[in-house]
Amino acid sequence: MEIRVISGDVTEVKASAVMVGLFEKVKNPDDYTATLDNVLGGTISQLMSQGEIKGKFGELTIIHSLGKLFAERVVILGLGKKQEFTLDKIRGVVAEACRFLQKKGIDDAATIALGVGVGGITPKSASQAITEGALLGLYSFRRHITKEPEYGEIKQLSIVANSEADISLLEHGRDKGKILAEAAKLARDMVNEPANYMTPGHMVKMAKQLAKDYDLELVVLEREKMLELGMGALLGVAQGSAQSPKFIILNYKENDSNEIDLALIGKGITFDSGGISLKPGRKMEEMKGDMAGGAAVIAAIAAISQLKPAINVTAIVPAVENLPGGRAFKPGDILTTMTGKTVEIISTDAEGRLVMADALCFVNKLKPKQIIDVATLTGACVVALGDVCTGAFSNNQELANKVVIAGAKAGELIWQMPMYTEYKELNKSDVADIKNVGDNNAGAITAAQFLAEFVGSTPWVHLDIAGTSMSNKERNYLVKGATGVPVRTLINLALAIAK
Ligand code: BES
Ligand code: MN
Ligand code: ZN
């Protein structure tokens, strides 16, 4: 889909449908909606007084213009209460409207720059949100469906500028929105891809292509190198699979120093069967998405290299498959991590913290200024926060605040969880330095405390996206399947740190 910015009279927009917004509880249409109401002979105000159009958030009303204006249809988007309006509502309502129009076979739509002037929303931010909403809401994963889709695609979306002066602001917003949305879509593609395609080796191939396209530096460590470095925890997890583990490092360098301003680490379990501690069959297919953290950091650094913030960023993905093969690691085994710390294996299904431990240790030796790790780490986090919020765990409040703010800006909700040292006790082992499963309770926190052992004093935030990386329903700009969370948060964070 091409998104363009145009100027001119809203009644003369050359598109098959033009979208305008309406807030809840307003008596009369204003702005563009009023202009269109006039041309349509008062249809909109009539429907409002009859109560058919309420302006409730997400309400969509289609009115056929029957030759009264160039566009054959006007779509009134309910924006909800004005005082509750946000950029994320723009993303959501535009996504719903685009899907609605696409299902009607419309291939050419236009929208005014919704919400400008309300609650600090600028032309640039509105245009960015419209772009993100349209691109993310119309996303679908059809790579393995051979049947033709039932309806065509919206090929063009035009954002109508209020004035000539707004054009470049809207274009800037559109350009930024496109980079963020395409990155989130890339992460969605990687997560939706089944594990027989998205192997550790395939993740390397994708990283290679991105490195080439966006001028990133790529280093891939193979098994021998990991052995040499002493990544015993990662290699332990990899033992049960025929797929070779890969340790992917992508560098975005704004300057020639080797200093890393921001390190991003993503869990890259390309399939999590649970290993010898085999998972139950129900929904096991969803574990193809256990590399969502890895996909997110790869997609984020690709976008960061396009936005060029003035910091050096490194993205790291330990990519491993967790299967119960004949060589697989077992409960009771003791693995030695890269730091030298030994880990008693209680469950081979708590594999994420093992590969992340070695990755954290590796990155810590590079002395980055701050570390963010992203992982589909625990079912316990899903129990605690559902699919609404990502869980955040940190040793540094200032950095945690920055991450939460970057998330809010993206519409990706993040909730910080406690890290009191009392929780650390639960990971104590009788036979090794630490064990890989704590208590039955507080599972998301004990997992985070496990990771904290390998971070030292570097400012660090761990994001548990087990609940937020996939959606089981279509809602606003999310569709069923991978969400692309927290790609846009990570990009916003890099931009904020560079400022
Ligand atoms: N990949 C899972 C966590 C997960 C669960 C992600 C649901 C997405 C949706 C992780 O490797 C895992 O299996 N964790 C175990 C840990 C337990 C054995 C301590 C869990 O949460 O059950
Ligand atoms: Mn697991
Ligand atoms: Zn896992």
Side-chain angles (χ1 to χ4, degrees), residues 417-482:
M417 305 282 268
M419 285 289 271
Y420 295 113
T421 47
E422 280 82 347
Y423 291 110
K424 255 193 189 347
E425 304 298 310
L426 304 169
N427 289 329
K428 280 204 170 133
S429 164
D430 295 331
V431 292
D433 296 335
I434 190 170
K435 56 181 179 174
N436 81 332
V437 175
D439 201 45
N440 271 333
N441 301 322
I445 305 173
T446 52
Q449 289 288 15
F450 183 99
L451 298 183
E453 295 285 331
F454 300 89
V455 178
S457 56
T458 313
W460 156 78
V461 175
H462 155 59
L463 295 175
D464 193 333
I465 56 165
T468 50
S469 64
M470 295 247 222
S471 176
N472 54 16
K473 54 184 183 297
E474 201 173 85
R475 80 188 134 104
N476 298 324
Y477 54 90
L478 301 184
V479 296
K480 256 193 206 172

Short mmCIF file of all heavy atoms in Angstrom, two decimals, residues 417-482:
data_model
loop_
_atom_site.label_atom_id
_atom_site.label_comp_id
_atom_site.label_asym_id
_atom_site.label_seq_id
_atom_site.Cartn_x
_atom_site.Cartn_y
_atom_site.Cartn_z
N MET A 417 7.29 -4.80 37.27
CA MET A 417 7.08 -5.76 38.35
C MET A 417 8.20 -5.62 39.39
O MET A 417 9.28 -5.14 39.08
CB MET A 417 7.09 -7.18 37.77
CG MET A 417 6.09 -7.38 36.64
SD MET A 417 4.43 -7.60 37.24
CE MET A 417 4.41 -9.38 37.36
N PRO A 418 7.94 -6.07 40.63
CA PRO A 418 8.94 -5.89 41.70
C PRO A 418 10.13 -6.83 41.57
O PRO A 418 9.99 -7.93 41.04
CB PRO A 418 8.14 -6.19 42.97
CG PRO A 418 7.07 -7.12 42.52
CD PRO A 418 6.71 -6.71 41.12
N MET A 419 11.26 -6.37 42.08
CA MET A 419 12.49 -7.19 42.05
C MET A 419 13.13 -7.26 43.44
O MET A 419 14.35 -7.26 43.56
CB MET A 419 13.48 -6.57 41.05
CG MET A 419 13.11 -6.82 39.60
SD MET A 419 13.36 -8.54 39.12
CE MET A 419 15.06 -8.48 38.57
N TYR A 420 12.32 -7.32 44.49
CA TYR A 420 12.87 -7.41 45.84
C TYR A 420 13.78 -8.63 45.95
O TYR A 420 13.50 -9.67 45.35
CB TYR A 420 11.74 -7.49 46.87
CG TYR A 420 10.89 -6.24 46.91
CD1 TYR A 420 9.58 -6.27 46.49
CD2 TYR A 420 11.44 -5.04 47.34
CE1 TYR A 420 8.79 -5.12 46.50
CE2 TYR A 420 10.68 -3.89 47.35
CZ TYR A 420 9.36 -3.92 46.94
OH TYR A 420 8.62 -2.78 46.95
N THR A 421 14.87 -8.47 46.74
CA THR A 421 15.86 -9.57 46.83
C THR A 421 15.26 -10.84 47.43
O THR A 421 15.79 -11.92 47.20
CB THR A 421 17.08 -9.15 47.67
OG1 THR A 421 16.61 -8.55 48.86
CG2 THR A 421 17.98 -8.20 46.91
N GLU A 422 14.16 -10.71 48.19
CA GLU A 422 13.52 -11.90 48.75
C GLU A 422 13.22 -12.94 47.65
O GLU A 422 13.29 -14.14 47.88
CB GLU A 422 12.18 -11.53 49.43
CG GLU A 422 12.31 -10.96 50.82
CD GLU A 422 12.64 -9.47 50.85
OE1 GLU A 422 13.00 -8.91 49.80
OE2 GLU A 422 12.55 -8.88 51.95
N TYR A 423 12.91 -12.44 46.46
CA TYR A 423 12.59 -13.36 45.35
C TYR A 423 13.81 -14.16 44.88
O TYR A 423 13.68 -15.24 44.34
CB TYR A 423 12.02 -12.58 44.16
CG TYR A 423 10.65 -12.00 44.41
CD1 TYR A 423 10.47 -10.63 44.55
CD2 TYR A 423 9.52 -12.83 44.49
CE1 TYR A 423 9.21 -10.09 44.76
CE2 TYR A 423 8.26 -12.29 44.71
CZ TYR A 423 8.11 -10.92 44.84
OH TYR A 423 6.87 -10.40 45.05
N LYS A 424 15.00 -13.59 45.09
CA LYS A 424 16.24 -14.24 44.66
C LYS A 424 16.44 -15.58 45.37
O LYS A 424 16.93 -16.53 44.79
CB LYS A 424 17.42 -13.32 45.01
CG LYS A 424 18.03 -12.60 43.83
CD LYS A 424 19.36 -12.02 44.31
CE LYS A 424 20.05 -11.09 43.38
NZ LYS A 424 19.83 -10.82 42.08
N GLU A 425 16.03 -15.59 46.65
CA GLU A 425 16.21 -16.78 47.48
C GLU A 425 15.63 -18.03 46.82
O GLU A 425 16.15 -19.14 46.98
CB GLU A 425 15.51 -16.59 48.84
CG GLU A 425 15.96 -15.36 49.61
CD GLU A 425 17.44 -15.43 49.96
OE1 GLU A 425 17.85 -16.47 50.50
OE2 GLU A 425 18.17 -14.45 49.65
N LEU A 426 14.55 -17.83 46.09
CA LEU A 426 13.81 -18.97 45.54
C LEU A 426 14.59 -19.73 44.47
O LEU A 426 14.26 -20.86 44.14
CB LEU A 426 12.46 -18.49 44.97
CG LEU A 426 11.58 -17.73 45.98
CD1 LEU A 426 10.40 -17.06 45.29
CD2 LEU A 426 11.08 -18.68 47.07
N ASN A 427 15.64 -19.10 43.94
CA ASN A 427 16.43 -19.77 42.90
C ASN A 427 17.64 -20.53 43.45
O ASN A 427 18.47 -21.01 42.69
CB ASN A 427 16.93 -18.73 41.88
CG ASN A 427 15.81 -18.20 41.00
OD1 ASN A 427 14.84 -18.91 40.71
ND2 ASN A 427 15.92 -16.95 40.57
N LYS A 428 17.73 -20.63 44.79
CA LYS A 428 18.91 -21.29 45.38
C LYS A 428 18.87 -22.80 45.14
O LYS A 428 17.84 -23.43 45.29
CB LYS A 428 18.96 -21.01 46.88
CG LYS A 428 19.54 -19.64 47.17
CD LYS A 428 20.14 -19.57 48.57
CE LYS A 428 20.93 -18.28 48.72
NZ LYS A 428 20.60 -17.60 50.00
N SER A 429 20.01 -23.35 44.78
CA SER A 429 20.12 -24.79 44.51
C SER A 429 20.97 -25.45 45.60
O SER A 429 21.84 -24.81 46.18
CB SER A 429 20.76 -25.00 43.15
OG SER A 429 21.21 -26.34 43.02
N ASP A 430 20.72 -26.74 45.86
CA ASP A 430 21.53 -27.48 46.84
C ASP A 430 22.79 -28.02 46.21
O ASP A 430 23.75 -28.36 46.91
CB ASP A 430 20.72 -28.66 47.41
CG ASP A 430 19.52 -28.18 48.21
OD1 ASP A 430 19.60 -27.07 48.79
OD2 ASP A 430 18.49 -28.89 48.24
N VAL A 431 22.80 -28.15 44.88
CA VAL A 431 23.92 -28.84 44.24
C VAL A 431 24.68 -27.98 43.24
O VAL A 431 25.71 -28.39 42.71
CB VAL A 431 23.43 -30.13 43.52
CG1 VAL A 431 22.97 -31.16 44.54
CG2 VAL A 431 22.31 -29.81 42.53
N ALA A 432 24.17 -26.80 42.93
CA ALA A 432 24.85 -25.89 42.00
C ALA A 432 24.71 -24.47 42.52
O ALA A 432 24.12 -24.24 43.58
CB ALA A 432 24.24 -26.03 40.60
N ASP A 433 25.25 -23.50 41.78
CA ASP A 433 25.18 -22.12 42.24
C ASP A 433 23.75 -21.57 42.22
O ASP A 433 23.38 -20.70 43.01
CB ASP A 433 26.06 -21.22 41.35
CG ASP A 433 27.53 -21.61 41.46
OD1 ASP A 433 27.90 -22.19 42.50
OD2 ASP A 433 28.27 -21.36 40.50
N ILE A 434 22.98 -22.08 41.29
CA ILE A 434 21.61 -21.57 41.12
C ILE A 434 20.81 -22.66 40.39
O ILE A 434 21.40 -23.54 39.76
CB ILE A 434 21.67 -20.24 40.28
CG1 ILE A 434 20.33 -19.51 40.25
CG2 ILE A 434 22.18 -20.48 38.88
CD1 ILE A 434 20.44 -18.10 39.63
N LYS A 435 19.49 -22.64 40.51
CA LYS A 435 18.70 -23.59 39.73
C LYS A 435 17.81 -22.83 38.75
O LYS A 435 17.56 -21.62 38.94
CB LYS A 435 17.88 -24.51 40.64
CG LYS A 435 16.97 -23.80 41.61
CD LYS A 435 16.21 -24.81 42.49
CE LYS A 435 15.32 -24.06 43.48
NZ LYS A 435 14.47 -24.94 44.26
N ASN A 436 17.35 -23.52 37.71
CA ASN A 436 16.68 -22.78 36.64
C ASN A 436 15.16 -22.65 36.81
O ASN A 436 14.50 -22.07 35.96
CB ASN A 436 17.04 -23.32 35.25
CG ASN A 436 16.24 -24.57 34.86
OD1 ASN A 436 15.81 -25.33 35.73
ND2 ASN A 436 16.05 -24.77 33.57
N VAL A 437 14.63 -23.17 37.94
CA VAL A 437 13.22 -22.93 38.25
C VAL A 437 13.14 -22.57 39.72
O VAL A 437 13.77 -23.24 40.56
CB VAL A 437 12.34 -24.17 37.97
CG1 VAL A 437 10.90 -23.92 38.41
CG2 VAL A 437 12.37 -24.53 36.49
N GLY A 438 12.39 -21.52 40.04
CA GLY A 438 12.28 -21.12 41.44
C GLY A 438 11.14 -21.87 42.09
O GLY A 438 11.05 -23.09 42.03
N ASP A 439 10.28 -21.15 42.68
CA ASP A 439 9.14 -21.67 43.39
C ASP A 439 8.02 -21.90 42.38
O ASP A 439 8.16 -21.60 41.22
CB ASP A 439 8.74 -20.54 44.36
CG ASP A 439 7.92 -21.03 45.51
OD1 ASP A 439 8.29 -22.06 46.08
OD2 ASP A 439 6.93 -20.37 45.83
N ASN A 440 6.89 -22.42 42.84
CA ASN A 440 5.72 -22.46 41.96
C ASN A 440 5.15 -21.07 41.74
O ASN A 440 4.49 -20.82 40.74
CB ASN A 440 4.63 -23.34 42.58
CG ASN A 440 4.81 -24.78 42.16
OD1 ASN A 440 5.36 -25.05 41.09
ND2 ASN A 440 4.36 -25.70 43.00
N ASN A 441 5.38 -20.21 42.72
CA ASN A 441 4.78 -18.87 42.67
C ASN A 441 5.75 -17.83 42.10
O ASN A 441 6.95 -18.07 42.06
CB ASN A 441 4.34 -18.45 44.07
CG ASN A 441 3.34 -19.43 44.65
OD1 ASN A 441 2.49 -19.94 43.93
ND2 ASN A 441 3.46 -19.71 45.94
N ALA A 442 5.18 -16.70 41.70
CA ALA A 442 5.99 -15.56 41.25
C ALA A 442 6.98 -15.95 40.15
O ALA A 442 8.12 -15.50 40.13
CB ALA A 442 6.73 -14.92 42.44
N GLY A 443 6.53 -16.79 39.25
CA GLY A 443 7.41 -17.36 38.22
C GLY A 443 8.04 -16.34 37.29
O GLY A 443 9.17 -16.53 36.82
N ALA A 444 7.32 -15.26 37.00
CA ALA A 444 7.89 -14.25 36.09
C ALA A 444 9.02 -13.52 36.78
O ALA A 444 10.02 -13.16 36.16
CB ALA A 444 6.80 -13.28 35.64
N ILE A 445 8.87 -13.32 38.10
CA ILE A 445 9.88 -12.57 38.85
C ILE A 445 11.11 -13.43 39.12
O ILE A 445 12.25 -12.97 38.97
CB ILE A 445 9.31 -12.02 40.18
CG1 ILE A 445 8.05 -11.19 39.91
CG2 ILE A 445 10.36 -11.20 40.92
CD1 ILE A 445 7.31 -10.75 41.17
N THR A 446 10.89 -14.71 39.49
CA THR A 446 12.07 -15.55 39.75
C THR A 446 12.87 -15.75 38.46
O THR A 446 14.10 -15.82 38.51
CB THR A 446 11.68 -16.91 40.37
OG1 THR A 446 10.68 -17.52 39.56
CG2 THR A 446 11.16 -16.75 41.79
N ALA A 447 12.17 -15.80 37.33
CA ALA A 447 12.89 -15.90 36.04
C ALA A 447 13.72 -14.64 35.82
O ALA A 447 14.88 -14.72 35.40
CB ALA A 447 11.89 -16.10 34.90
N ALA A 448 13.13 -13.48 36.12
CA ALA A 448 13.86 -12.22 35.95
C ALA A 448 15.05 -12.15 36.91
O ALA A 448 16.13 -11.69 36.56
CB ALA A 448 12.92 -11.04 36.18
N GLN A 449 14.85 -12.65 38.14
CA GLN A 449 15.95 -12.68 39.12
C GLN A 449 17.07 -13.59 38.66
O GLN A 449 18.25 -13.33 38.91
CB GLN A 449 15.45 -13.13 40.50
CG GLN A 449 14.59 -12.12 41.22
CD GLN A 449 15.36 -10.92 41.74
OE1 GLN A 449 16.50 -10.67 41.34
NE2 GLN A 449 14.75 -10.14 42.62
N PHE A 450 16.71 -14.66 37.98
CA PHE A 450 17.72 -15.55 37.41
C PHE A 450 18.57 -14.77 36.41
O PHE A 450 19.80 -14.78 36.47
CB PHE A 450 17.03 -16.74 36.71
CG PHE A 450 17.98 -17.76 36.14
CD1 PHE A 450 18.28 -18.92 36.83
CD2 PHE A 450 18.58 -17.56 34.90
CE1 PHE A 450 19.17 -19.87 36.31
CE2 PHE A 450 19.46 -18.50 34.36
CZ PHE A 450 19.76 -19.65 35.07
N LEU A 451 17.90 -14.03 35.51
CA LEU A 451 18.64 -13.24 34.52
C LEU A 451 19.53 -12.20 35.19
O LEU A 451 20.67 -11.97 34.76
CB LEU A 451 17.67 -12.54 33.56
CG LEU A 451 16.78 -13.43 32.69
CD1 LEU A 451 15.93 -12.56 31.75
CD2 LEU A 451 17.60 -14.42 31.88
N ALA A 452 18.99 -11.59 36.25
CA ALA A 452 19.73 -10.51 36.93
C ALA A 452 21.11 -10.98 37.40
O ALA A 452 22.06 -10.20 37.45
CB ALA A 452 18.91 -9.99 38.12
N GLU A 453 21.23 -12.28 37.72
CA GLU A 453 22.51 -12.85 38.16
C GLU A 453 23.60 -12.69 37.10
O GLU A 453 24.79 -12.77 37.39
CB GLU A 453 22.35 -14.35 38.43
CG GLU A 453 21.42 -14.70 39.57
CD GLU A 453 22.07 -14.43 40.92
OE1 GLU A 453 23.31 -14.51 41.02
OE2 GLU A 453 21.32 -14.12 41.87
N PHE A 454 23.20 -12.52 35.85
CA PHE A 454 24.17 -12.50 34.75
C PHE A 454 24.37 -11.11 34.17
O PHE A 454 25.02 -10.94 33.15
CB PHE A 454 23.74 -13.51 33.67
CG PHE A 454 23.66 -14.90 34.22
CD1 PHE A 454 22.48 -15.38 34.79
CD2 PHE A 454 24.79 -15.72 34.22
CE1 PHE A 454 22.42 -16.65 35.35
CE2 PHE A 454 24.73 -17.00 34.76
CZ PHE A 454 23.55 -17.47 35.33
N VAL A 455 23.77 -10.12 34.82
CA VAL A 455 23.82 -8.76 34.30
C VAL A 455 24.82 -7.91 35.05
O VAL A 455 25.40 -6.98 34.50
CB VAL A 455 22.42 -8.10 34.40
CG1 VAL A 455 22.47 -6.69 33.90
CG2 VAL A 455 21.40 -8.90 33.62
N GLY A 456 25.03 -8.23 36.31
CA GLY A 456 25.91 -7.41 37.14
C GLY A 456 25.25 -6.07 37.40
O GLY A 456 24.04 -5.99 37.60
N SER A 457 26.07 -5.00 37.35
CA SER A 457 25.53 -3.71 37.74
C SER A 457 25.16 -2.84 36.54
O SER A 457 24.74 -1.70 36.68
CB SER A 457 26.54 -2.98 38.62
OG SER A 457 27.76 -2.89 37.91
N THR A 458 25.30 -3.36 35.32
CA THR A 458 24.91 -2.58 34.14
C THR A 458 23.42 -2.28 34.21
O THR A 458 22.63 -3.18 34.50
CB THR A 458 25.19 -3.41 32.85
OG1 THR A 458 26.49 -3.96 32.94
CG2 THR A 458 25.06 -2.55 31.61
N PRO A 459 23.02 -1.01 33.94
CA PRO A 459 21.58 -0.71 33.92
C PRO A 459 20.89 -1.63 32.91
O PRO A 459 21.34 -1.76 31.77
CB PRO A 459 21.53 0.75 33.45
CG PRO A 459 22.85 1.31 33.86
CD PRO A 459 23.84 0.20 33.73
N TRP A 460 19.81 -2.25 33.36
CA TRP A 460 19.21 -3.33 32.56
C TRP A 460 17.71 -3.37 32.77
O TRP A 460 17.22 -3.15 33.88
CB TRP A 460 19.87 -4.64 33.00
CG TRP A 460 19.11 -5.91 32.78
CD1 TRP A 460 18.96 -6.59 31.60
CD2 TRP A 460 18.41 -6.69 33.76
NE1 TRP A 460 18.22 -7.74 31.80
CE2 TRP A 460 17.88 -7.82 33.11
CE3 TRP A 460 18.20 -6.54 35.14
CZ2 TRP A 460 17.13 -8.81 33.78
CZ3 TRP A 460 17.44 -7.51 35.81
CH2 TRP A 460 16.92 -8.63 35.13
N VAL A 461 16.98 -3.61 31.70
CA VAL A 461 15.54 -3.88 31.79
C VAL A 461 15.26 -5.17 31.04
O VAL A 461 15.72 -5.36 29.91
CB VAL A 461 14.70 -2.73 31.18
CG1 VAL A 461 13.21 -3.10 31.19
CG2 VAL A 461 14.90 -1.43 31.96
N HIS A 462 14.52 -6.04 31.69
CA HIS A 462 14.07 -7.28 31.04
C HIS A 462 12.59 -7.14 30.72
O HIS A 462 11.80 -6.76 31.59
CB HIS A 462 14.33 -8.46 32.00
CG HIS A 462 13.46 -9.66 31.77
ND1 HIS A 462 13.42 -10.35 30.57
CD2 HIS A 462 12.56 -10.28 32.59
CE1 HIS A 462 12.55 -11.36 30.68
NE2 HIS A 462 12.01 -11.33 31.89
N LEU A 463 12.23 -7.41 29.47
CA LEU A 463 10.82 -7.34 29.07
C LEU A 463 10.31 -8.75 28.80
O LEU A 463 10.82 -9.44 27.91
CB LEU A 463 10.68 -6.47 27.81
CG LEU A 463 11.05 -4.99 27.97
CD1 LEU A 463 10.99 -4.26 26.63
CD2 LEU A 463 10.12 -4.31 28.98
N ASP A 464 9.33 -9.18 29.57
CA ASP A 464 8.72 -10.50 29.35
C ASP A 464 7.50 -10.32 28.46
O ASP A 464 6.47 -9.78 28.89
CB ASP A 464 8.34 -11.16 30.69
CG ASP A 464 8.01 -12.66 30.52
OD1 ASP A 464 7.57 -13.06 29.42
OD2 ASP A 464 8.19 -13.42 31.50
N ILE A 465 7.62 -10.78 27.21
CA ILE A 465 6.55 -10.58 26.22
C ILE A 465 5.77 -11.86 25.95
O ILE A 465 5.11 -11.99 24.91
CB ILE A 465 7.10 -10.01 24.89
CG1 ILE A 465 8.20 -10.93 24.32
CG2 ILE A 465 7.63 -8.60 25.09
CD1 ILE A 465 8.53 -10.63 22.84
N ALA A 466 5.81 -12.82 26.91
CA ALA A 466 5.10 -14.09 26.67
C ALA A 466 3.61 -13.85 26.38
O ALA A 466 3.02 -14.54 25.55
CB ALA A 466 5.26 -15.00 27.89
N GLY A 467 3.04 -12.84 27.02
CA GLY A 467 1.61 -12.59 26.81
C GLY A 467 1.31 -11.65 25.65
O GLY A 467 0.24 -11.73 25.04
N THR A 468 2.23 -10.76 25.35
CA THR A 468 1.93 -9.69 24.39
C THR A 468 2.46 -9.94 22.98
O THR A 468 2.13 -9.19 22.06
CB THR A 468 2.52 -8.35 24.89
OG1 THR A 468 3.89 -8.56 25.24
CG2 THR A 468 1.77 -7.83 26.10
N SER A 469 3.26 -10.98 22.79
CA SER A 469 3.87 -11.18 21.47
C SER A 469 2.89 -11.75 20.46
O SER A 469 3.10 -11.64 19.26
CB SER A 469 5.09 -12.09 21.58
OG SER A 469 4.68 -13.37 22.00
N MET A 470 1.83 -12.37 20.96
CA MET A 470 0.81 -12.93 20.06
C MET A 470 -0.57 -12.47 20.52
O MET A 470 -0.80 -12.27 21.71
CB MET A 470 0.82 -14.45 20.13
CG MET A 470 2.10 -15.05 19.64
SD MET A 470 1.78 -15.97 18.14
CE MET A 470 2.78 -17.40 18.44
N SER A 471 -1.47 -12.35 19.55
CA SER A 471 -2.86 -12.00 19.88
C SER A 471 -3.76 -13.11 19.34
O SER A 471 -3.53 -13.61 18.24
CB SER A 471 -3.23 -10.67 19.22
OG SER A 471 -4.58 -10.39 19.47
N ASN A 472 -4.75 -13.51 20.15
CA ASN A 472 -5.63 -14.57 19.64
C ASN A 472 -6.87 -14.01 18.97
O ASN A 472 -7.75 -14.73 18.57
CB ASN A 472 -5.98 -15.58 20.73
CG ASN A 472 -6.54 -14.91 21.97
OD1 ASN A 472 -6.95 -13.73 21.90
ND2 ASN A 472 -6.59 -15.61 23.08
N LYS A 473 -6.92 -12.67 18.90
CA LYS A 473 -8.04 -12.06 18.16
C LYS A 473 -7.60 -10.78 17.47
O LYS A 473 -6.55 -10.22 17.76
CB LYS A 473 -9.22 -11.80 19.10
CG LYS A 473 -8.85 -10.99 20.33
CD LYS A 473 -10.05 -10.87 21.27
CE LYS A 473 -9.75 -9.99 22.47
NZ LYS A 473 -8.69 -10.50 23.37
N GLU A 474 -8.46 -10.35 16.53
CA GLU A 474 -8.23 -9.10 15.85
C GLU A 474 -8.70 -8.00 16.79
O GLU A 474 -9.82 -8.05 17.28
CB GLU A 474 -9.12 -9.12 14.60
CG GLU A 474 -8.73 -8.19 13.51
CD GLU A 474 -9.59 -8.46 12.28
OE1 GLU A 474 -10.70 -7.89 12.20
OE2 GLU A 474 -9.18 -9.23 11.41
N ARG A 475 -7.85 -7.02 17.10
CA ARG A 475 -8.33 -5.89 17.88
C ARG A 475 -7.51 -4.65 17.54
O ARG A 475 -6.30 -4.68 17.56
CB ARG A 475 -8.36 -6.20 19.38
CG ARG A 475 -7.06 -6.09 20.11
CD ARG A 475 -7.19 -6.61 21.55
NE ARG A 475 -6.07 -7.48 21.84
CZ ARG A 475 -5.03 -7.13 22.60
NH1 ARG A 475 -4.99 -5.96 23.19
NH2 ARG A 475 -4.03 -7.95 22.79
N ASN A 476 -8.25 -3.61 17.15
CA ASN A 476 -7.61 -2.39 16.68
C ASN A 476 -6.55 -2.72 15.61
O ASN A 476 -6.87 -3.39 14.65
CB ASN A 476 -7.06 -1.58 17.84
CG ASN A 476 -8.18 -1.16 18.78
OD1 ASN A 476 -9.28 -0.87 18.32
ND2 ASN A 476 -7.94 -1.13 20.06
N TYR A 477 -5.30 -2.28 15.85
CA TYR A 477 -4.32 -2.52 14.79
C TYR A 477 -3.59 -3.85 14.94
O TYR A 477 -2.63 -4.13 14.23
CB TYR A 477 -3.33 -1.36 14.67
CG TYR A 477 -2.63 -1.00 15.96
CD1 TYR A 477 -1.44 -1.59 16.31
CD2 TYR A 477 -3.19 -0.06 16.82
CE1 TYR A 477 -0.80 -1.25 17.49
CE2 TYR A 477 -2.57 0.28 18.00
CZ TYR A 477 -1.37 -0.33 18.33
OH TYR A 477 -0.74 0.01 19.50
N LEU A 478 -4.04 -4.67 15.88
CA LEU A 478 -3.48 -6.02 15.97
C LEU A 478 -4.36 -6.96 15.18
O LEU A 478 -5.57 -6.76 15.08
CB LEU A 478 -3.43 -6.48 17.43
CG LEU A 478 -2.60 -5.63 18.40
CD1 LEU A 478 -2.57 -6.29 19.78
CD2 LEU A 478 -1.18 -5.42 17.88
N VAL A 479 -3.76 -7.97 14.59
CA VAL A 479 -4.54 -9.02 13.96
C VAL A 479 -4.19 -10.32 14.66
O VAL A 479 -3.29 -10.35 15.51
CB VAL A 479 -4.24 -9.09 12.44
CG1 VAL A 479 -4.67 -7.82 11.74
CG2 VAL A 479 -2.76 -9.37 12.16
N LYS A 480 -4.90 -11.40 14.32
CA LYS A 480 -4.60 -12.68 14.95
C LYS A 480 -3.17 -13.09 14.63
O LYS A 480 -2.73 -12.95 13.50
CB LYS A 480 -5.55 -13.75 14.39
CG LYS A 480 -6.67 -14.13 15.32
CD LYS A 480 -7.35 -15.39 14.82
CE LYS A 480 -8.78 -15.43 15.31
NZ LYS A 480 -9.53 -16.53 14.71
N GLY A 481 -2.48 -13.62 15.64
CA GLY A 481 -1.10 -14.05 15.42
C GLY A 481 -0.13 -13.05 16.03
O GLY A 481 -0.46 -12.35 17.00
N ALA A 482 1.05 -12.96 15.45
CA ALA A 482 2.11 -12.13 16.03
C ALA A 482 1.72 -10.66 16.05
O ALA A 482 1.05 -10.17 15.14
CB ALA A 482 3.39 -12.32 15.24
#
